[in-house]
Amino acid sequence: MTDALPPNPVRLDVWLWAARFFRTRSLAKQAVETGKVDVAGQRPKSSRAVRVGDTLQVTRGEEVFDVVVLALSDTRGPAAVAQALYAETDASRARREQRRLQRAAMRDGYKPPEHKPDKRARRLIQALGDIDAL
């Protein structure tokens, strides 16, 4: 006999941690409290229960993920298991790829130095007043 009971509710910050959007639960809680996570277009509390089918918008650094919750978990597992907890929308994936290409194009002309500046070069840099460049 199978029970059709709904699974135990999972807190939003715990689910974000289990889905590997954030390294620690406290970072996930902080992201929710600072407005970097939206649930169905609304700003939630970190204790809000996540349900299967919820749409989340997670901002992590410069990346914005639009995901749909497929499964619930309150334990952090391997990356393959974590990726099975959600599905990212095609529009979100395309938008993130476009932003990645823009960032790559912006740094296309930059070439980092091959080595650290020597003593003479450091003195020239200091003479120019660019002390932060050390």
Side-chain angles (χ1 to χ4, degrees), residues 81-102:
V81 174
Q83 290 173 352
L85 297 177
Y86 63 90
E88 186 177 4
T89 62
D90 293 333
S92 172
R93 195 173 295 122
R95 186 175 57 237
R96 284 191 315 110
E97 179 65 21
Q98 183 65 27
R99 287 184 181 161
R100 187 189 67 77
L101 292 174
Q102 287 175 351

Side-chain angles (χ1 to χ4, degrees), residues 65-81:
F65 297 89
D66 292 329
V67 297
V68 177
V69 177
L70 298 179
L72 301 178
S73 175
D74 59 355
T75 57
R76 187 174 172 104
V81 174

Side-chain angles (χ1 to χ4, degrees), residues 3 27 76 92 108:
D3 293 326
L27 286 176
R76 187 174 172 104
S92 172
D108 190 31

Side-chain angles (χ1 to χ4, degrees), residues 50-78:
V50 178
R51 296 180 193 94
V52 174
D54 281 350
T55 57
L56 306 175
Q57 184 177 38
V58 181
T59 304
R60 190 178 65 188
E62 293 181 3
E63 296 180 318
V64 178
F65 297 89
D66 292 329
V67 297
V68 177
V69 177
L70 298 179
L72 301 178
S73 175
D74 59 355
T75 57
R76 187 174 172 104

Side-chain angles (χ1 to χ4, degrees), residues 105-125:
M106 286 174 44
R107 68 174 178 266
D108 190 31
Y110 173 74
K111 294 188 174 110
E114 295 177 8
H115 50 80
K116 289 174 61 175
D118 58 2
K119 186 175 184 177
R120 181 175 181 273
R122 282 195 303 272
R123 286 184 177 166
L124 288 172
I125 291 169

